[in-house]
Amino acid sequence: MVVEQVKRKVYPYSIVPGGAEDLFAAKRAMADPAIKAHYANVDLSQLKEVKLTTNLSGYVSYRWGDKIYWTAKKITLRAGEKVFTDGTHVVRARCLNCYSMLPMQPTRPHEPTELAMDAPVEMPVTVYKFPVLPLLAPALPIPPGELTPSVPVLAGGLPITGKVPGGGGIWFPLIPIIPPIHHHPSNGPTPTSPGTPATPPGGGGGGGGGGGGGTPVVPPVAVVPEPRYGWAFLAALFVLGLTIRTLRARKSN
């Protein structure tokens, strides 16, 4: 925000001292509850800013103290003066005093002269300005070719993308899924499968002697043979046959 002191012409008997510099300021000032009733017939939605091309002669409103009156004598609005109009009503931009071709009420017996109403006084006014911010961010420069990553190409010459060749549209890179790699601790013995010979002391890693820089010795896994139950099965059959024979001999006797 920029704050600066400027001098603005303030005309005597203005309804709004300093008037309005643009249409937005005029609408905001005329919507003030203190003076809103004076602009009740003005259609703010149709209000436009124009400059007079010819002189206008008529009656104008003015402020006297805290009340608003109309002149009983005609006042001339010069060509080139900026006014606001809705197509029917006219408001002077320099003071927001209204203009009318017909006499209006109320009036005062002793009203200011036209010369007095056209004698402005320069008054210091504090103006607050906000810098215009860009609506869109500035475009970033295109990176040089050597910094632009290249697209990997398959053996067939097609790029690894989600775009169908010749189909157009938006392409997206296909990221390969790499399974996690588990690292075994290096300070413990590594088990070996049966039949794999263990590394002899000093025989691994560079062919050097001694056990300082070689691979640690892994003892072979002892294989325990399973017990054999064939003789027990035969013995059970023999006992079973002997028992059946004894029972038959007893029955025959």
Side-chain angles (χ1 to χ4, degrees):
M1 181 176 65
V2 180
V3 182
E4 59 180 350
Q5 293 286 338
V6 298
K7 290 185 177 181
R8 181 177 297 177
K9 292 182 178 181
V10 177
Y11 288 85
Y13 312 102
S14 297
I15 296 179
V16 177
E21 292 186 343
D22 51 31
L23 188 60
F24 176 78
K27 291 182 178 181
R28 182 177 58 183
M30 285 187 277
D32 188 348
I35 58 176
K36 186 177 181 179
H38 186 59
Y39 307 100
N41 296 327
V42 179
D43 187 359
L44 298 182
S45 62
Q46 301 295 327
L47 203 63
K48 297 180 180 179
E49 177 183 332
V50 298
K51 284 188 177 182
L52 298 178
T53 56
T54 59
N55 294 346
L56 285 180
S57 180
Y59 307 90
V60 297
S61 60
Y62 65 96
R63 178 190 291 273
W64 185 279
D66 57 349
K67 294 184 179 181
I68 298 176
Y69 299 93
W70 286 85
T71 59
K73 298 179 181 179
K74 289 186 177 182
I75 301 294
T76 302
L77 278 63
R78 307 294 176 182
E81 181 178 346
K82 183 169 66 175
V83 298
F84 301 106
T85 178
D86 61 354
T88 304
H89 305 86
V90 177
V91 181
R92 307 181 78 173
R94 71 181 195 180
C95 54
L96 292 188
N97 295 11
C98 293
Y99 163 85
S100 175
M101 296 180 61
L102 303 176
M104 301 291 291
Q105 293 292 331
T107 59
R108 293 183 70 252
H110 305 284
E111 62 184 32
T113 62
E114 182 177 356
L115 183 61
M117 297 180 70
D118 289 342
V121 177
E122 289 189 349
M123 302 275 299
V125 179
T126 303
V127 178
Y128 301 91
K129 295 182 179 179
F130 295 88
V132 179
L133 299 179
L135 298 179
L136 299 176
L140 297 178
I142 301 175
E146 59 270 11
L147 298 181
T148 303
S150 59
V151 180
V153 178
L154 293 177
L158 298 178
I160 307 177
T161 63
K163 179 179 177 182
V164 180
I170 302 175
W171 65 273
F172 56 91
L174 299 178
I175 304 176
I177 301 175
I178 302 176
I181 301 175
H182 301 279
H183 297 278
H184 297 281
S186 59
N187 54 356
T190 303
T192 59
S193 60
T196 304
T199 306
T215 305
V217 178
V218 181
V221 180
V223 179
V224 180
E226 297 182 0
R228 299 180 179 180
Y229 300 97
W231 63 270
F233 179 71
L234 296 176
L237 290 179
F238 177 75
V239 173
L240 180 61
L242 183 60
T243 304
I244 294 174
R245 184 177 181 181
T246 304
L247 292 176
R248 287 180 180 179
R250 289 180 182 181
K251 288 180 179 181
S252 63
N253 293 334

